[in-house]
Amino acid sequence: MPQSQVRRYDVLSDFNTVYDFLVDTFDLNTFNSYLLPAYWEYLHLHPEFDYLHAERMGIWRSDDGIVGVVAFDMALGDAHLHPSPSHVYLLPQMLDWTEQEISLPITDASGNFAGNRKLGVWVTDAETSKRELLLNRGYQLEYREPVRLFSYSQPFSERALPPGYRLIQGSEVD
């Protein structure tokens, strides 16, 4: 197995490199563990993205560049683990990082640490290695949703809003 090193994500210098890695490794079968290139961009532009903890995301590198990424989903507590297809063997190490850096402490009614942590990990049915790892570590499936693909082989037709309507930013809605 090739040697790889892990380091913390730096939002100012790593955004584009991670984006390119997600584009280069996109797999229609696994959906990059739902860490799609377009979602990576959306995540960083969303007003609820937790920039204060962005350094808790991890990047695995080899001599050839990025070989894996661990990212939280908008905030700590939910995570995406995405190794390149040739570095799936890094998943246990990536999950260790995620449990340490991205999981949240469970507190009792008084707000005291109850001794356990919680973590959601995005996984698709096609990611058998990751599913097995999670099951072996005691994770349980709590949520499932269907994902549908639509082919856009034809151009979108032009649509006009009826008079008196306009599109606005979501932040303008109260």
Side-chain angles (χ1 to χ4, degrees):
M1 287 184 269
Q3 191 72 328
S4 62
Q5 296 178 351
V6 63
R7 68 171 175 79
R8 294 184 178 280
Y9 173 69
D10 181 333
V11 70
L12 295 176
S13 63
D14 293 328
F15 174 85
N16 287 330
T17 310
V18 171
Y19 180 88
D20 292 342
F21 167 73
L22 295 173
V23 168
D24 293 344
T25 58
F26 176 72
D27 181 343
L28 190 58
N29 193 34
T30 66
F31 271 17
N32 290 22
S33 303
Y34 298 115
L35 190 58
L36 303 172
Y39 185 71
W40 183 251
E41 184 177 359
Y42 167 81
L43 183 72
H44 285 74
L45 296 173
H46 197 282
E48 292 184 23
F49 179 66
D50 185 0
Y51 279 101
L52 294 177
H53 292 102
E55 82 284 347
R56 292 198 182 187
M57 294 193 263
I59 297 175
W60 278 255
R61 296 188 65 92
S62 72
D63 293 338
D64 297 329
I66 295 178
V67 296
V69 174
V70 164
F72 56 75
D73 189 273
M74 209 60 73
L76 298 175
D78 288 304
H80 304 272
L81 287 68
H82 177 60
S84 69
S86 60
H87 289 78
V88 173
Y89 66 87
L90 291 173
L91 279 171
Q93 186 184 90
M94 294 172 83
L95 184 56
D96 290 343
W97 174 283
T98 306
E99 289 173 342
Q100 180 69 36
E101 297 292 335
I102 296 178
S103 66
L104 291 174
I106 297 175
T107 56
D108 60 22
S110 319
N112 299 316
F113 180 56
N116 293 319
R117 302 182 71 79
K118 66 179 179 176
L119 176 66
V121 178
W122 288 91
V123 62
T124 67
D125 290 341
E127 296 177 295
T128 54
S129 297
K130 188 184 304 175
R131 291 170 60 86
E132 288 175 20
L133 173 64
L134 292 168
L135 289 172
N136 289 337
R137 293 259 185 116
Y139 287 78
Q140 299 174 1
L141 179 64
E142 288 191 10
Y143 176 76
R144 177 180 227 131
E145 70 181 34
V147 175
R148 292 177 175 77
L149 297 177
F150 296 93
S151 173
Y152 296 110
S153 57
Q154 301 297 317
F156 292 107
S157 57
E158 288 292 321
R159 302 284 180 175
L161 291 173
Y165 287 87
R166 66 185 176 104
L167 296 177
I168 62 171
Q169 291 288 335
S171 60
E172 296 178 33
V173 178
D174 64 11

